[in-house]
Amino acid sequence: MDKILDQLNPAQQEAARHIDGPMLILAGAGSGKTKTITTRLAYLLSLGIDPANTLTLTFTNKAATQMRERALSMIENPLYPPLLCTFHKFGLLFLKFNIEKLGRKNDFVIIDTDDKKRIVKQIDKELPASLVASEISRYKNSLIKPDQAIAQAEHPQYKKIAAIYKTYQEYIVENNLVDFDDLLMLTHELLEKDDELRKATSERYRYIMVDEYQDTNELQLQLLKKLCDSHTNLCVVGDDDQSIYGWRGANIKNILEFSNMFENTKVVKLENNYRSTEEILKAANLLIQHNRGRLGKTLISTCGKGETVTIFQSSDENEESDKIARAVKQLIDSGVPAGEIAVLYRVNALSRSLEEGLGRAGIAYQLVGGVRFYERAEIKDAISYLRIIANNHDDFSLKRVINRPKRGIGKATIDKIEKAAFEKRQSLYRFLSESPKEELSKLLSKKAYASINRFINDLEILQETLERSTMEFMEAFDRTIGLKAFYAALPDGMERVLNLDEFYGLFRDMVKKSPDISLDAFLNEISLQSDQDQIKGEQISIMSVHASKGLEFTHLFVIGMEEEFFPLLGDGCDMEEERRLGYVAMTRAKKTLTLSTVQSRFHKGRRKHLEKSRFLTEAGLLKGALSIEKSTGFKKGDLVKHKLFGMGRVLEVARAGRDFKLKINFGGNRREILSSFVEKI
């Protein structure tokens, strides 16, 4: 263990050796945070701490797998591996053992966002399903129950959304479904209600670590507080400068105020960067220094000076994409592996011209964050069939595929079947498989009755096959259900068939690796997959800046460096979060960074002339007069707000120790106030 610790720098060693009490590891981009926390986990176990008493939480399966492998490589003959998983996987495991305490059965089915939207559409067809689904998610992540949401709603639209939320929740409870947010919300509810369970769980997980802590939301913070009920051994790792998910509920205050929430917090800053060159870090550091809401650190490169940051300036998006394509081709021709190259953009709409430019140049690329693999119709159909085989009484899945492939069973017939099953208090499967022929004949045509019989018979045969041999099951599934034949007849059939082949191959591969895996476990595992779990290195990657988080590339291009595109401007725009996005984008680059800007773009139906992004000036790459804003975030003329004196206008800015003193005119009343006590309007 001492040899392993010797491989760390002094700050990393300090973090790895800390045992008891709260600790915030402020880890800059490329500063070796994964190495630090996996070493810390190995160090804890080397002291004789039971792996069962540790819990390490991450945000992606990819990160969890990587960290688990690294930690286990440092531990000699562990009795069993420590629990290292995503927040949602922890919630799933916890609920499997404890959900019955809420009066729910533990054979629940996890539904994804698409399933959620379809349920919402069944309840209400007027409001956009995506809006309602995201509001329901916001309620749950803010720990707001349906009745509270109804009581709080003032605007008519939100009253309606709150009512839909109530009906939606009743529906998923009745059908024993659990959405992603429930995995954490129900876990929190159990820990809050049951003092004995909370204490026992906290006693079990005495050493908790959380990766990417800057991305946690209110629900995750409250869940962590419950898990720390009987101790304060919470180590969080994160970077306030990389907090870029405010739009989906992440609360940067969780990391900024961690030391206030947990007494006697030890703070360790990891500032040595092992990824990027000095030139790249100089631009990133200058850019992020414009933000006021940060704990403060400066990345120091260990990779040498490197090439200066390049700026491409083009007349329009077509010239831009051709320049990018030529530069990428030159890199590939010089021997650079395609997987080491990426192009990022802030706005997804910019990918169109980029894809066309790469296509014209014959450059293979993968679009990360397009239509997700598990959200494609053909894959969702296959998953729905597997869900029914795993749980016959999953009405939601059965309704999706009862007429796919076509069986002559339309919506009106399905409605009749559903009504009849409801009256008999039976699941659809039980009603169709156990009802007398005379009863079903009244509801179904001869053709539909024959189809239903074949459908039920096929499912029963597949269940028997699964019990006999998991490996044989997928061959029989493909042959019996005929999804590939059904989709092959469609215009884009070839691609859909390839997707199904990929899915069936994934199942076989998982069975080979874990012969004892159950169909339930397989379904729950794929429900927790993310975009980044699908990344491969055979092509260049093109993606949004958000999708690039946690990745690194030797050669990086960022397009759309114009006002309105990067940073985004308009209602709800948070300039500090935009700047953090810029910082994240730049710090993905290892050796070369190219930022691209154009004079005009065809956007939202018309060509628009644009100004260069302020970030190019703030990063010291273009000349500009922003010296005051660069150092303080305030300049003469800014409108500001003070919690006691109200709104005022800045007259002067002067340094005062580590802070800045502002002379402000509050409606004729002039005062000198430190900048940290006001906010810019």
Side-chain angles (χ1 to χ4, degrees):
M1 197 69 231
D2 288 338
K3 285 180 183 176
I4 292 169
L5 286 166
D6 286 345
Q7 294 170 17
L8 304 181
N9 67 39
Q12 291 172 329
Q13 282 192 29
E14 186 184 357
R17 290 180 186 274
H18 178 78
I19 301 168
D20 296 313
M23 175 167 63
L24 166 60
I25 303 175
L26 202 57
S31 62
K33 72 175 176 68
T34 303
K35 185 177 183 179
T36 305
I37 55 178
T38 51
T39 304
R40 180 176 185 265
L41 177 58
Y43 180 67
L44 290 175
L45 302 187
S46 76
L47 299 175
I49 290 167
D50 189 340
N53 292 144
T54 69
L55 171 63
T56 305
L57 297 169
T58 69
F59 277 84
T60 67
N61 292 299
K62 185 178 179 181
T65 303
Q66 182 188 36
M67 288 165 67
R68 187 183 301 109
E69 288 171 357
R70 283 205 200 182
L72 290 176
S73 71
M74 298 181 223
I75 305 165
E76 288 183 19
N77 305 318
L79 291 172
Y80 37 83
L83 183 53
L84 206 161
C85 60
T86 64
F87 271 94
H88 290 93
K89 181 68 176 283
F90 173 75
L92 169 64
L93 295 170
F94 186 83
L95 292 180
K96 280 288 178 186
F97 286 103
N98 297 293
I99 198 169
E100 287 174 347
K101 291 181 172 69
L102 293 174
R104 302 273 301 268
K105 293 179 181 175
N106 73 352
D107 62 347
F108 56 82
V109 171
I110 301 172
I111 59 170
D112 63 17
T113 307
D114 200 40
D115 297 328
K116 186 177 180 179
K117 287 178 187 173
R118 287 200 292 122
I119 296 170
V120 166
K121 278 181 189 171
Q122 288 174 18
I123 299 166
D124 181 274
K125 291 183 172 60
E126 290 180 21
L127 289 175
S130 55
L131 167 69
V132 178
S134 74
E135 283 301 307
I136 289 173
S137 185
R138 187 179 66 80
Y139 285 136
K140 290 189 176 188
N141 281 288
S142 302
L143 292 169
I144 297 171
K145 298 286 182 66
D147 289 337
Q148 289 173 280
I150 290 168
Q152 290 174 13
E154 293 179 3
H155 189 279
Q157 178 168 293
Y158 281 89
K159 284 183 179 177
K160 190 171 184 181
I161 290 172
I164 296 168
Y165 173 30
K166 186 177 174 71
T167 308
Y168 165 83
Q169 200 59 20
E170 288 168 352
Y171 178 92
I172 66 170
V173 169
E174 188 179 326
N175 288 275
N176 206 21
L177 306 174
V178 167
D179 64 26
F180 278 164
D181 301 313
D182 284 334
L183 292 174
L184 300 188
M185 190 182 79
L186 295 177
T187 297
H188 177 271
E189 187 178 330
L190 276 161
L191 292 173
E192 187 173 49
K193 281 182 175 178
D194 192 325
D195 294 346
E196 202 173 302
L197 178 62
R198 182 175 65 251
K199 188 178 178 185
T201 307
S202 183
E203 286 290 343
R204 176 172 183 179
Y205 301 114
R206 292 201 63 80
Y207 297 91
I208 300 173
M209 284 198 284
V210 184
D211 190 21
E212 303 287 6
Y213 186 69
Q214 76 281 347
D215 296 334
T216 54
N217 60 24
E218 180 63 20
L219 173 53
Q220 287 158 338
L221 171 64
Q222 296 307 324
L223 182 56
L224 287 170
K225 285 182 175 178
K226 294 283 181 284
L227 291 171
C228 291
D229 183 66
S230 61
H231 63 82
T232 57
N233 300 329
L234 174 62
C235 166
V236 301
V237 190
D239 184 359
D240 53 325
D241 292 332
Q242 295 187 71
S243 178
I244 60 173
Y245 296 115
W247 52 277
R248 72 178 189 199
N251 190 349
I252 192 172
K253 287 184 178 179
N254 289 359
I255 190 167
L256 293 179
E257 298 176 5
F258 183 81
S259 296
N260 299 331
M261 294 179 196
F262 296 89
E263 285 184 22
N264 302 316
T265 294
K266 182 181 182 67
V267 179
V268 180
K269 293 184 181 181
L270 304 185
E271 296 177 298
N272 282 0
N273 176 283
Y274 297 94
R275 177 189 297 157
S276 308
T277 61
E278 286 176 24
E279 288 292 321
I280 291 167
L281 291 186
K282 185 171 86 173
N285 283 331
L286 283 170
L287 174 64
I288 203 62
Q289 279 170 18
H290 286 72
N291 274 6
R292 290 175 58 237
R294 62 191 295 257
L295 295 169
K297 65 184 174 322
T298 301
L299 293 181
I300 302 158
S301 176
T302 61
C303 303
K305 187 170 175 59
E307 296 180 29
T308 56
V309 176
T310 303
I311 297 181
F312 279 175
Q313 301 190 56
S314 308
S315 59
D316 61 18
E317 66 271 23
N318 294 318
E319 185 185 338
E320 174 185 61
S321 60
D322 287 341
K323 274 186 185 176
I324 298 281
R326 280 197 299 273
V328 168
K329 197 166 194 314
Q330 198 172 350
L331 287 168
I332 293 171
D333 290 346
S334 72
V336 174
E340 290 295 318
I341 304 168
V343 187
L344 310 183
Y345 40 80
R346 169 70 180 91
V347 180
N348 285 316
L350 298 191
S351 75
R352 180 193 62 81
S353 57
L354 177 63
E355 289 183 67
E356 288 175 2
L358 294 172
R360 286 192 296 271
I363 295 168
Y365 64 88
Q366 57 175 340
L367 173 62
V368 178
V371 177
R372 297 185 182 191
F373 184 76
Y374 293 107
E375 290 178 1
R376 291 171 178 158
E378 62 274 18
I379 302 303
K380 288 185 73 65
D381 286 349
I383 289 170
S384 292
Y385 271 107
L386 296 184
R387 283 178 175 174
I388 300 164
I389 291 161
N391 172 15
N392 291 165
H393 308 301
D394 181 354
D395 286 358
F396 187 75
S397 296
L398 190 140
K399 280 197 291 180
R400 178 183 173 95
V401 296
I402 194 169
N403 198 38
R404 194 174 299 182
K406 301 284 185 190
R407 294 189 177 89
I409 302 160
K411 187 179 182 305
T413 305
I414 293 170
D415 288 345
K416 286 180 193 173
I417 294 169
E418 199 171 12
K419 184 173 181 290
F422 177 77
E423 286 170 356
K424 292 183 79 171
R425 296 290 186 271
Q426 290 180 333
S427 68
L428 298 182
Y429 184 94
R430 177 170 288 174
F431 174 77
L432 292 172
S433 61
E434 295 181 5
S435 295
K437 181 179 178 180
E438 310 82 64
E439 188 176 349
L440 289 176
S441 297
K442 291 176 185 175
L443 295 174
L444 306 169
S445 64
K446 278 187 180 179
K447 185 181 176 184
Y449 177 76
S451 292
I452 288 286
N453 263 347
R454 274 198 304 276
F455 174 61
I456 297 294
N457 190 49
D458 286 345
L459 292 176
E460 287 172 352
I461 289 169
L462 287 172
Q463 278 179 307
E464 290 167 11
T465 308
L466 180 63
E467 287 165 10
R468 191 170 63 248
S469 166
T470 313
M471 190 56 88
E472 282 178 30
F473 166 73
M474 194 49 81
E475 301 290 342
F477 177 81
D478 182 32
R479 200 171 52 245
T480 306
I481 300 299
L483 276 179
K484 276 168 43 175
F486 169 68
Y487 275 109
L490 300 180
D492 56 348
M494 186 182 291
E495 185 183 341
R496 290 176 182 264
V497 168
L498 287 173
N499 290 337
L500 284 166
D501 281 335
E502 178 78 6
F503 179 70
Y504 296 160
L506 174 74
F507 182 88
R508 292 187 196 101
D509 191 49
M510 207 168 276
V511 172
K512 277 181 188 172
K513 287 178 183 172
S514 308
D516 296 325
I517 192 169
S518 69
L519 189 54
D520 252 336
F522 171 73
L523 289 169
N524 284 331
E525 198 63 38
I526 63 173
S527 293
L528 301 173
Q529 296 294 321
S530 70
D531 269 356
Q532 291 192 12
D533 296 331
Q534 312 304 326
I535 288 183
K536 296 171 185 172
E538 302 123 2
Q539 309 148 311
I540 78 159
S541 296
I542 67 173
M543 67 188 87
S544 70
V545 179
H546 281 102
S548 76
K549 178 77 165 47
L551 303 176
E552 58 181 39
F553 300 93
T554 306
H555 304 279
L556 187 78
F557 300 83
V558 185
I559 65 172
M561 297 299 297
E562 304 95 30
E563 296 287 293
E564 292 190 60
F565 286 88
F566 203 179
L568 274 183
L569 301 177
D571 291 344
C573 166
D574 179 344
M575 190 53 67
E576 296 222 341
E577 182 152 318
E578 289 296 308
R579 208 170 272 118
R580 291 194 292 270
L581 271 167
Y583 176 81
V584 165
M586 290 180 180
T587 54
R588 300 309 94 202
K590 291 159 76 174
K591 284 190 178 176
T592 70
L593 172 63
T594 303
L595 306 177
S596 176
T597 180
V598 300
Q599 293 172 358
S600 74
R601 288 191 188 279
F602 192 71
H603 183 57
K604 293 184 179 176
R606 65 186 180 90
R607 181 153 297 282
K608 186 163 187 177
H609 288 271
L610 304 163
E611 291 181 21
K612 293 181 179 69
S613 170
R614 71 188 70 187
F615 294 167
L616 297 174
T617 307
E618 293 178 353
L621 301 169
L622 293 179
K623 288 183 180 178
L626 290 168
S627 56
I628 293 175
E629 186 142 33
K630 174 180 151 188
S631 54
T632 72
F634 290 96
K635 62 183 184 296
K636 184 179 177 180
D638 279 348
L639 273 177
V640 296
K641 185 179 180 183
H642 185 275
K643 63 181 179 183
L644 185 62
F645 305 126
M647 190 163 66
R649 192 172 292 279
V650 176
L651 302 175
E652 289 177 25
V653 181
R655 184 173 283 281
R658 289 189 175 185
D659 210 335
F660 286 82
K661 190 159 57 179
L662 310 177
K663 187 176 279 187
I664 306 169
N665 180 359
F666 294 101
N669 184 6
R670 298 184 177 204
R671 293 182 180 274
E672 290 188 341
I673 304 285
L674 291 175
S675 62
S676 53
F677 287 84
V678 297
E679 59 180 331
K680 193 188 290 187
I681 297 174

